Amino acid sequence: MAFTEKQEYKVEVLPPYSIIGVRRADIVLKDGVEVGRTYHRELLHPGDDVSSKAQIVQQITGAVWTADVISAYQATLLEPEPEPEPEPEPEPEPEPEPEPEPSEE
């Protein structure tokens, strides 16, 4: 009765800047039969350090993260978001004029 572990990867390339979605499945086997599985997900952005990632992830990022892709992605990070224009404050409504008091005759 021996327990072993293995990992499986699902890798997706997400447009437009080739962001890499990685899903790792950690699988526990008992005598070759799966008895447990857990998932871990992460996103990798162009230019991230992938030296500690699985070989398949390094190969895919090396293929799709060209210098142009990394530059285009980093340019989106440098663009400041436009500040919303302040909404004009509504003008206060004029107070109603008091009604004249009735005169006694």
Side-chain angles (χ1 to χ4, degrees):
M1 184 164 42
F3 284 97
T4 55
E5 295 181 12
K6 70 177 186 175
Q7 295 179 332
E8 292 179 354
Y9 290 88
K10 178 179 179 181
V11 182
E12 299 175 310
V13 179
L14 306 170
Y17 299 108
S18 299
I19 294 172
I20 305 293
V22 179
R23 183 187 77 178
R24 183 186 82 217
D26 294 334
I27 304 167
V28 178
L29 306 165
K30 179 180 177 183
D31 296 328
V33 177
E34 182 177 328
V35 294
R37 180 182 293 243
T38 57
Y39 294 101
H40 306 274
R41 297 177 184 272
E42 67 179 316
L43 290 177
L44 303 170
H45 300 86
D48 285 355
D49 179 20
V50 294
S51 61
S52 64
K53 305 300 179 193
Q55 186 65 34
I56 188 70
V57 175
Q58 292 179 25
Q59 291 171 339
I60 292 171
T61 58
V64 298
W65 288 354
T66 63
D68 290 340
V69 169
I70 293 171
S71 297
Y73 174 73
Q74 290 177 343
T76 65
L77 301 178
L78 300 176
E79 293 176 5
E81 291 189 25
E83 292 185 23
E85 294 184 23
E87 294 183 22
E89 292 185 23
E91 293 186 25
E93 294 183 24
E95 292 186 27
E97 294 183 23
E99 293 187 23
E101 293 184 23
S103 60
E104 293 181 27
E105 290 183 31

